[in-house]
């Protein structure tokens, strides 16, 4: 089963509403699932803008700490460097 189908199956099983982008070397996949606005039945697209507010802080922390674990970035590096 290809990645598009696997993502679609997972989204359906989890009742996922949102967008997914996979950008890895020679593969770029953009998919969207569910509704962006239930009241008006507007579907999500890969271009849908989501109001994340503080929700993205955990993902940023995960990305930074993953780079620190790989020794690509130092935890005490100045932000300006990156």
């Amino acid at each position: 089963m290809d990645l598009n189908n696997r993502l679609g199956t997972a989204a359906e099983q989890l009742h996922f509403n949102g967008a997914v982008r996979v950008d890895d070397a020679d593969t770029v996949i953009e998919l969207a699932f569910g509704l962006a606005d239930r009241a008006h039945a507007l579907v999500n697209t890969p271009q849908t803008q989501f109001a994340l507010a503080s929700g993205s802080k955990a993902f940023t922390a995960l990305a930074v700490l993953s780079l620190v674990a790989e020794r690509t970035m130092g935890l005490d590096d100045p932000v300006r460097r990156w």
Side-chain angles (χ1 to χ4, degrees):
M1 181 183 297
D2 72 344
L3 185 55
N4 279 335
N5 289 335
R6 289 176 32 205
L7 289 168
T9 299
E12 184 177 319
Q13 289 173 347
L14 297 170
H15 306 286
F16 176 71
N17 282 296
V20 176
R21 179 181 169 99
V22 177
D23 193 343
D24 185 29
D26 58 342
T27 302
V28 176
I29 298 171
E30 291 182 328
L31 301 170
F33 307 94
L35 297 176
D37 183 339
R38 289 185 176 119
H40 297 99
L42 297 175
V43 298
N44 278 321
T45 71
Q47 290 74 36
T48 299
Q49 294 183 5
F50 299 95
L52 295 178
S54 294
S56 62
K57 289 178 185 175
F59 295 109
T60 302
L62 176 64
V64 169
L65 292 177
S66 294
L67 291 171
V68 169
E70 293 172 0
R71 300 181 189 266
T72 301
M73 174 186 284
L75 194 55
D76 57 352
D77 285 354
V79 173
R80 188 172 300 179
R81 178 174 177 197
W82 301 103

